[in-house]
Amino acid sequence: MTPYTPPLRDHRFMLQEVLEHQVLSLPGFEEVDADLVESVLEEAGRLASDVWAPLNAPGDQQGCRRDANGRVSVPEGFAEAYRAYAEGGWNGIGVDQAHDGQGLPEVVASAVQEMLHGANMALALCPMLTAGAIEALIQHGDDALCARYLPPLVEGRWTGTMNLTEPQAGSDLSQVRTRAVPGDVAGEYRLTGQKIYITWGEQELAENILHLVLARLPDAPRGNKGISLFLVPRRLVDEQGNPGELNDVICTGLEHKMGIHGSPTCSLSFGDHGGAIGYLVGEPGRGLNQMFTMMNAARHKVGIQGIGVAERACQQALAHAAERRQGRRGGQECAIAEHFDVRRMLLSMRARTEALRALALSCASDMDQARHAADDEQRRAAQARVDVLIPVVKAFSTDQAVDIASLGIQVHGGMGYIEETGAAQLWRDVRIAAIYEGTNGIQALDLAGRKLSRDDGAALASLIDEVDATAAALVAHARLSALGESLAAGAHDLRAAMRVVLDAGRDSTHGEDAIQALATPFLTLAGHVLCGWQMGQAALVADAALQGGSQDAFYSAKLAAADFALRHWLPLGRAQRAVIEAGLDALSQDPVVR
Amino acid sequence: MTPYTPPLRDHRFMLQEVLEHQVLSLPGFEEVDADLVESVLEEAGRLASDVWAPLNAPGDQQGCRRDANGRVSVPEGFAEAYRAYAEGGWNGIGVDQAHDGQGLPEVVASAVQEMLHGANMALALCPMLTAGAIEALIQHGDDALCARYLPPLVEGRWTGTMNLTEPQAGSDLSQVRTRAVPGDVAGEYRLTGQKIYITWGEQELAENILHLVLARLPDAPRGNKGISLFLVPRRLVDEQGNPGELNDVICTGLEHKMGIHGSPTCSLSFGDHGGAIGYLVGEPGRGLNQMFTMMNAARHKVGIQGIGVAERACQQALAHAAERRQGRRGGQECAIAEHFDVRRMLLSMRARTEALRALALSCASDMDQARHAADDEQRRAAQARVDVLIPVVKAFSTDQAVDIASLGIQVHGGMGYIEETGAAQLWRDVRIAAIYEGTNGIQALDLAGRKLSRDDGAALASLIDEVDATAAALVAHARLSALGESLAAGAHDLRAAMRVVLDAGRDSTHGEDAIQALATPFLTLAGHVLCGWQMGQAALVADAALQGGSQDAFYSAKLAAADFALRHWLPLGRAQRAVIEAGLDALSQDPVVR
């Protein structure tokens, strides 16, 4: 596998030149300035490229092991690499200073996370899950719980997990059966049940693990409303906050997965010896809602993860194509990067990765606005955008990342299929990102159903207005008018498709089926148009820089990427409008499922 | 992994009802009738489902091993399964009776091959390569060579390999360095060199292996014209035709591949001890041409292979979706196959697999016409169609198969990422099909370059005329007119895109680059339109059957698949026209490759 180069130039372009560091003027970021952001990104890039990235291929080969006592060992070097991360203070960069984090904007934290995922997705999953646990405690835990459990999580001395899935409860969490009964000590509960697919569910690379577990209290109602959220430490914590004896939780198995072999995916059994001790987080019966507040942030991070892997696939494909000599161009022997079919693949990978990154970082900037803007209305409007964007960032980035990693294999030819090359690992690893934290189908339902219907499409419509504004600016621009026309057509299609989806959803008989049928094509269309919008903005900035006299080849490459995104990629997404308008006749036939 | 069910009903539909067994009236097939075809398919289906399919998952887990002497062992049961195949006479079904084959039409052989690949792609590769060697000997070997080497190949007692690739010579075979010098015995040559990626290059499941090897004679010119084709037996053959002592060929390594673990992919070293004994096949300097005649057939078979794996992915996804209960529809708990987002995935997988199968079998029927039609002009016209269709069948079927297998994983949710489920294996296995036998990019260049330019698009234009005729028949049909309109629009797009490609290719400065830039979008568009055409024909046949009073649910399912293919899938392909018309500005910028 080729080395990983942190994409600092593109991060800088997005944060400084496109988003203009607007978040730095928000209340709460008084101590953050552009220089600090720059040095954070550089330092994170060094950790990613020098420490984490070299462990990616060996981690895939070694995988994880579970011994007869349920102890889990992870690949060599992972513990040291994690320690370097925690000791560097990276775990708290996005956490508010009120909770002893560094309180950097989400948009900066996202850029850092992208690099860590690109360097080593399997390892980066561990802090990603911890971040979810931190979020859950901050938002829902009472003061006592936070005081005891939050600091070591923020410091990265302890890690966190999310325990949702059970064999009969996957996409449908209302089926959760794990039970919690009040324990002998006030405030303690005893949990019993089986959880599966628990990412980094057992390991000894940190001093302790805090499992956040969905379970049912006695006499809880059936379905979603009977589910509560509990904190279950791997090691029980004494009065001084030190982890002591092991709780009644054991790892009963590790999944044999297609990828992310360096990340232990555990089956956990709670309460085989009388009940695992746990603590209620927030109110009873609110477990699913609480988990979903965590999942929203986690979904954005999964999108970021896809982008990190896509970036690495781009780098690896380009390095190979520049090196490998096959065939001729204009009669001369040449590197395959000279062949236009290969350039098409390379540019497609590059343009899409940059477009996805731009959308995800723009969404992160909205997350900062939603949390920090001084004005209520501004916060509300930003949150409405975030709510619409997150399912797109999660699902579209990961679907595209799988395809980008596949093109990376294709650029390598036969070598791409050989594991030692490393291109295959990226494809195998990133495939899970389209499944976990809510499958991409679930994301599409979230967008086309809940997120559209609750405001009758208003939040998305206002995003489309912004797309139109960018399209108009491009059309008015001599050199970029073709890009603008393409973007305007995309915005028009998205608006029309939104109307179809909203109308279909209102049908009391078939509405539920129609939303399901149209959701994925709709999300795909939205992803293309919103990514096209971002690349349109990028083109305006890059063109202005070149017109201002810059000789930086980055800008002309950005223009080429924008041209590709808007004229070679967006048309493929626009075709989803016809699919949406074709309706659900074919799907309604029963013999479909034969 | 779920059991494999031979798709006999759909094969029967294509062969009998759509293609109307037309090939059975060709000269040479006098002894073949519909009943024989039926019993051949049923028997092959039994071999596939009962003997080969159960070995697919264990073969993936066990993989192949090479010992210190270079001997290779394959997964348990493979030798017995291969023997059942050879002893059943399956290896010769598509070989002319003049060469002791059974002389069945290619369209029947293709259906049989699809089942074997669907059951066990790794094992099916072995006879696929043998078929290439048989073809090479029949077309290019002299009588003496054929007399000695052909019978055991046809019987399946010996297997064949294709030795093309060397480390520096992959897509560009002009770089081949392996040398052949005349030996001491007249007619013998001594070969020295290194070959890589040799599928089933070493094994002991057959009595002997015949390696077909590209090499250079002394004083051969540089480049393509200096390459000749040699037959190099693994064991030298005595006067009685019995394999005896080992030749000077050794397996120096097995590749560690992402998939098809049951197929040994070998590095072979020829001539470490004085030179491997080989025999010239046909004229010197014609090696590449000879290899390409083999590869044309092999490319069709790789397409068939993709379809076989796609079919198995469909079956497995449907079985899971019908079983797995999550969520509710209309307030009732239900199997996930009830959810329209899942139905969309299942129908997309099913409709595309059937469309690809229809196109590949239609192409096979043209191959029969090209070889057997009484009339010269008929043969020539059929061959022209075959030449255009083969790159489409190879590349489009395999690209789509990768995507279909990916949807199969998605239908399984988290379970899809766990190896024991088997969905992941299909995706890992089939990924190679888009790379070997000429990458899909090479196929696209073959179509958009050589195949279009040599007759100025005439062969493709006449295929598009047929698409138009089918579209017109659909439009004239009350219930199918929407399908016809969609197909007509696709035909229109393909014709327009063909003109763009032909015009671009005529530009003496940029023509070469333009063909490269446009080739893959063009092949993708052609694949969608030609598959849509096949599903349009299928819809006409299925509708007529239902109107004729049939109650067979197969026909209504076929109509649903056709509706999906033409109205939900074809529009996505049609979007490639806009990509083609966008030209190559973005690709021409040098900084693209940064």
Side-chain angles (χ1 to χ4, degrees):
Chain A
M1 198 177 275
T2 43
Y4 173 74
T5 307
L8 296 173
R9 182 67 185 87
D10 203 40
H11 284 150
R12 204 180 292 135
F13 176 75
M14 265 310 289
L15 269 53
Q16 271 178 30
E17 300 178 61
V18 177
L19 298 170
E20 297 175 322
H21 277 324
Q22 283 168 16
V23 298
L24 300 188
S25 59
L26 291 172
F29 297 135
E30 290 79 3
E31 293 172 28
V32 187
D33 64 15
D35 287 346
L36 175 63
V37 170
E38 178 68 24
S39 65
V40 163
L41 294 181
E42 278 180 19
E43 275 302 313
R46 256 191 292 277
L47 176 71
S49 63
D50 298 354
V51 184
W52 281 36
L55 299 172
N56 195 40
D60 180 59
Q61 286 144 29
Q62 291 174 32
C64 300
R65 286 211 183 75
R66 176 181 155 272
D67 71 15
N69 301 317
R71 301 286 178 98
V72 169
S73 57
V74 298
E76 276 172 44
F78 272 37
E80 294 74 11
Y82 178 77
R83 205 171 305 131
Y85 163 90
E87 289 172 0
W90 294 106
N91 204 52
I93 60 166
V95 180
D96 275 355
Q97 291 181 330
H99 302 290
D100 296 325
Q102 295 173 42
L104 289 176
E106 188 65 36
V107 69
V108 178
S110 295
V112 169
Q113 286 152 7
E114 189 216 303
M115 295 191 270
L116 296 172
H117 284 295
N120 194 322
M121 173 173 164
L123 179 54
L125 274 167
C126 181
M128 184 178 123
L129 272 291
T130 303
I134 292 171
E135 188 79 11
L137 282 181
I138 290 178
Q139 291 205 23
H140 309 293
D142 60 30
D143 289 349
L145 213 59
C146 286
R148 171 165 294 190
Y149 294 101
L150 204 47
L153 274 187
V154 172
E155 290 168 34
R157 290 190 288 115
W158 300 359
T159 65
T161 69
M162 285 167 72
N163 287 245
L164 290 73
T165 307
E166 300 178 8
Q168 78 294 344
S171 292
D172 181 3
L173 290 170
S174 71
Q175 305 297 322
V176 159
R177 289 186 197 147
T178 295
R179 287 173 305 116
V181 297
D184 300 333
V185 178
E188 277 188 16
Y189 292 83
R190 293 281 183 162
L191 278 82
T192 320
Q194 312 297 321
K195 294 286 181 180
I196 60 171
Y197 300 164
I198 309 309
T199 299
W200 284 88
E202 168 62 11
Q203 37 83 8
E204 297 186 337
L205 119 176
E207 296 165 19
N208 204 2
I209 305 175
L210 299 183
H211 301 295
L212 285 160
V213 186
L214 292 184
R216 292 183 184 281
L217 286 166
D219 306 324
R222 285 181 53 124
N224 291 341
K225 291 181 181 158
I227 299 175
S228 304
L229 182 64
F230 296 86
L231 183 157
V232 180
R234 175 178 186 265
R235 287 185 182 277
L236 297 169
V237 178
D238 67 19
E239 290 301 316
Q240 285 69 48
N242 296 314
E245 65 175 310
L246 286 166
N247 201 348
D248 185 7
V249 185
I250 189 151
C251 173
T252 53
L254 288 182
E255 299 293 350
H256 177 224
K257 306 184 299 295
M258 179 163 55
I260 50 168
H261 294 158
S263 163
T265 302
C266 303
S267 302
L268 294 184
S269 182
F270 292 81
D272 287 357
H273 302 287
I277 294 174
Y279 310 93
L280 187 63
V281 180
E283 290 170 41
R286 302 280 303 158
L288 268 192
N289 298 58
Q290 290 159 349
M291 203 54 108
F292 275 114
T293 58
M294 283 166 61
M295 280 186 86
N296 233 358
R299 286 171 173 184
H300 181 264
K301 287 173 213 298
V302 172
I304 288 284
Q305 176 174 66
I307 295 160
V309 177
E311 171 65 36
R312 191 164 196 179
C314 288
Q315 293 183 15
Q316 177 156 3
L318 176 56
H320 174 79
E323 178 93 356
R324 172 80 173 162
R325 300 182 74 77
Q326 288 285 283
R328 288 158 177 273
R329 178 169 176 236
Q332 300 296 310
E333 288 183 10
C334 65
I336 62 170
E338 294 284 311
H339 298 306
F340 269 49
D341 183 54
V342 176
R343 289 170 83 114
R344 185 189 53 75
M345 291 192 272
L346 294 172
L347 183 54
S348 172
M349 295 172 73
R350 169 57 61 207
R352 289 189 284 162
T353 300
E354 292 183 3
L356 297 167
R357 172 183 293 134
L359 187 65
L361 292 181
S362 162
C363 174
S365 166
D366 288 334
M367 290 160 80
D368 288 318
Q369 296 283 353
R371 194 174 286 187
H372 292 270
D375 180 66
D376 271 6
E377 176 51 29
Q378 257 182 308
R379 283 204 304 276
R380 198 207 53 78
Q383 187 62 47
R385 287 163 69 107
V386 168
D387 288 346
V388 166
L389 286 174
I390 277 184
V392 179
V393 168
K394 193 280 182 180
F396 193 61
S397 301
T398 56
D399 277 346
Q400 291 289 322
V402 174
D403 194 64
I404 290 165
S406 186
L407 268 187
I409 293 174
Q410 197 69 16
V411 168
H412 285 80
M415 270 174 251
Y417 201 64
I418 307 297
E419 286 290 357
E420 284 79 355
T421 308
Q425 184 194 342
L426 300 177
W427 193 59
R428 286 188 290 100
D429 281 356
V430 81
R431 183 65 184 82
I432 188 60
I435 298 173
Y436 61 20
E437 296 292 343
T439 64
N440 286 1
I442 297 279
Q443 306 299 323
L445 291 179
D446 180 43
L447 175 68
R450 211 162 65 90
K451 299 286 172 68
L452 279 197
S453 67
R454 65 181 186 178
D455 66 357
D456 208 31
L460 179 57
S462 98
L463 272 169
I464 302 176
D465 289 343
E466 292 193 48
V467 178
D468 274 331
T470 300
L474 291 162
V475 166
H477 191 295
R479 285 176 301 278
L480 303 174
S481 59
L483 279 62
E485 281 155 22
S486 179
L487 184 57
H492 181 72
D493 288 334
L494 182 56
R495 214 184 288 275
M498 183 176 77
R499 274 193 296 269
V500 174
V501 172
L502 282 168
D503 286 348
R506 287 188 199 102
D507 181 321
S508 58
T509 320
H510 302 294
E512 183 186 340
D513 287 343
I515 294 291
Q516 284 247 359
L518 305 177
T520 294
F522 183 72
L523 184 142
T524 306
L525 171 58
H528 277 90
V529 173
L530 295 169
C531 281
W533 166 48
Q534 291 295 322
M535 291 308 275
Q537 294 185 315
L540 290 165
V541 172
D543 187 78
L546 290 170
Q547 293 310 306
S550 170
Q551 305 285 317
D552 191 343
F554 175 86
Y555 295 116
S556 30
K558 184 63 87 178
L559 282 179
D563 189 90
F564 188 93
L566 284 158
R567 303 204 309 130
H568 292 243
W569 184 41
L570 178 53
L572 304 181
R574 289 184 52 208
Q576 299 289 346
R577 177 181 170 184
V579 174
I580 289 164
E581 291 177 343
L584 44 156
D585 285 1
L587 298 171
S588 306
Q589 294 236 20
D590 256 352
V592 164
V593 180
R594 54 174 136 130
Chain B
M1 197 178 276
T2 45
Y4 173 73
T5 305
L8 296 173
R9 182 68 186 86
D10 203 42
H11 283 150
R12 203 179 294 136
F13 175 74
M14 266 310 289
L15 270 55
Q16 272 177 29
E17 300 178 61
V18 177
L19 298 171
E20 297 176 322
H21 277 324
Q22 283 167 16
V23 298
L24 300 188
S25 58
L26 291 172
F29 296 136
E30 292 78 3
E31 293 171 26
V32 186
D33 63 15
D35 287 346
L36 176 62
V37 170
E38 178 69 24
S39 65
V40 163
L41 294 181
E42 278 181 16
E43 276 302 314
R46 256 190 292 277
L47 177 71
S49 62
D50 299 354
V51 183
W52 282 35
L55 300 172
N56 196 40
D60 179 59
Q61 286 145 26
Q62 290 174 32
C64 300
R65 286 209 183 76
R66 177 182 155 273
D67 73 16
N69 300 316
R71 301 286 178 99
V72 169
S73 57
V74 297
E76 276 173 44
F78 272 36
E80 294 74 11
Y82 179 78
R83 205 171 304 130
Y85 163 89
E87 289 173 0
W90 294 105
N91 205 52
I93 61 166
V95 180
D96 275 355
Q97 290 181 332
H99 301 289
D100 296 326
Q102 295 173 42
L104 289 177
E106 189 65 35
V107 69
V108 178
S110 294
V112 169
Q113 286 151 7
E114 188 216 302
M115 293 191 271
L116 296 173
H117 284 295
N120 195 323
M121 174 174 163
L123 179 53
L125 275 167
C126 181
M128 184 177 122
L129 272 291
T130 303
I134 291 171
E135 189 80 9
L137 282 180
I138 290 178
Q139 291 204 25
H140 308 293
D142 60 28
D143 289 348
L145 214 59
C146 285
R148 172 166 293 190
Y149 294 102
L150 204 46
L153 274 188
V154 173
E155 290 168 34
R157 288 190 290 116
W158 301 357
T159 65
T161 69
M162 288 167 72
N163 287 247
L164 290 71
T165 307
E166 301 177 7
Q168 78 295 344
S171 292
D172 182 2
L173 291 170
S174 70
Q175 306 297 322
V176 158
R177 289 186 196 147
T178 296
R179 288 172 304 114
V181 298
D184 301 334
V185 178
E188 277 188 15
Y189 293 82
R190 294 281 183 163
L191 279 82
T192 319
Q194 312 296 322
K195 293 286 181 179
I196 59 170
Y197 301 163
I198 310 308
T199 300
W200 284 89
E202 168 62 11
Q203 39 83 7
E204 297 187 336
L205 120 177
E207 295 166 20
N208 205 2
I209 306 175
L210 300 183
H211 302 296
L212 285 159
V213 185
L214 292 184
R216 293 183 182 283
L217 286 165
D219 306 324
R222 283 181 53 124
N224 292 340
K225 290 180 182 159
I227 299 175
S228 304
L229 182 64
F230 296 87
L231 183 157
V232 180
R234 175 177 187 266
R235 288 185 181 278
L236 297 168
V237 177
D238 68 17
E239 289 300 316
Q240 286 70 47
N242 296 314
E245 65 176 310
L246 286 167
N247 201 349
D248 185 8
V249 186
I250 190 152
C251 173
T252 54
L254 289 183
E255 299 294 350
H256 178 222
K257 305 185 300 294
M258 178 163 56
I260 51 167
H261 294 156
S263 163
T265 302
C266 303
S267 303
L268 295 183
S269 182
F270 292 82
D272 286 357
H273 303 286
I277 294 174
Y279 309 94
L280 186 64
V281 180
E283 289 170 42
R286 303 281 302 158
L288 267 192
N289 299 58
Q290 290 158 348
M291 204 53 109
F292 275 115
T293 58
M294 281 165 61
M295 279 186 86
N296 234 357
R299 286 169 174 186
H300 181 263
K301 287 175 214 297
V302 172
I304 288 283
Q305 177 174 65
I307 296 160
V309 177
E311 170 65 37
R312 192 164 196 178
C314 289
Q315 293 183 15
Q316 178 157 0
L318 176 56
H320 175 78
E323 178 94 356
R324 173 80 173 162
R325 300 181 74 77
Q326 287 285 282
R328 289 158 177 273
R329 179 169 175 237
Q332 301 296 309
E333 288 182 9
C334 64
I336 62 170
E338 294 285 310
H339 297 307
F340 269 49
D341 183 55
V342 176
R343 289 171 82 115
R344 184 189 54 73
M345 292 193 270
L346 294 172
L347 183 54
S348 173
M349 295 172 74
R350 169 57 62 205
R352 289 188 283 162
T353 301
E354 292 183 4
L356 297 166
R357 173 183 293 134
L359 187 65
L361 292 180
S362 163
C363 175
S365 166
D366 288 335
M367 290 161 80
D368 288 318
Q369 296 283 352
R371 193 174 286 187
H372 291 272
D375 181 64
D376 271 7
E377 177 50 30
Q378 258 183 308
R379 284 204 302 278
R380 199 206 52 78
Q383 187 61 46
R385 289 163 68 107
V386 168
D387 288 347
V388 166
L389 287 174
I390 277 183
V392 179
V393 169
K394 194 279 183 183
F396 193 62
S397 301
T398 56
D399 277 346
Q400 290 289 321
V402 173
D403 193 65
I404 290 166
S406 186
L407 268 188
I409 292 173
Q410 198 68 18
V411 168
H412 284 81
M415 271 173 251
Y417 201 64
I418 307 297
E419 285 291 359
E420 285 79 355
T421 308
Q425 184 194 341
L426 299 176
W427 192 59
R428 287 188 289 102
D429 281 356
V430 81
R431 184 64 185 81
I432 187 59
I435 298 172
Y436 60 20
E437 297 292 343
T439 63
N440 285 1
I442 297 279
Q443 306 299 323
L445 291 179
D446 180 44
L447 175 69
R450 211 163 64 89
K451 299 287 172 69
L452 278 197
S453 67
R454 67 181 185 178
D455 66 357
D456 207 32
L460 179 58
S462 98
L463 272 169
I464 303 176
D465 290 342
E466 293 193 48
V467 178
D468 275 330
T470 299
L474 290 162
V475 167
H477 192 296
R479 285 175 301 278
L480 304 173
S481 58
L483 279 61
E485 280 155 23
S486 177
L487 184 58
H492 181 71
D493 288 333
L494 183 56
R495 214 184 289 275
M498 184 176 76
R499 273 193 296 269
V500 174
V501 172
L502 282 167
D503 286 349
R506 286 190 199 102
D507 180 322
S508 59
T509 320
H510 302 295
E512 186 187 354
D513 287 343
I515 295 290
Q516 284 246 359
L518 305 177
T520 294
F522 183 72
L523 184 141
T524 305
L525 171 58
H528 277 89
V529 173
L530 294 170
C531 281
W533 166 48
Q534 290 294 324
M535 290 309 273
Q537 294 186 316
L540 290 165
V541 173
D543 186 78
L546 289 171
Q547 294 310 306
S550 169
Q551 305 286 317
D552 191 343
F554 175 86
Y555 295 115
S556 29
K558 184 63 84 175
L559 282 179
D563 189 89
F564 188 92
L566 283 158
R567 304 202 310 130
H568 294 242
W569 185 41
L570 179 54
L572 304 180
R574 289 184 52 206
Q576 298 289 347
R577 177 181 170 183
V579 173
I580 290 165
E581 291 177 344
L584 45 156
D585 285 0
L587 298 171
S588 305
Q589 295 235 18
D590 257 353
V592 165
V593 179
R594 54 174 139 128

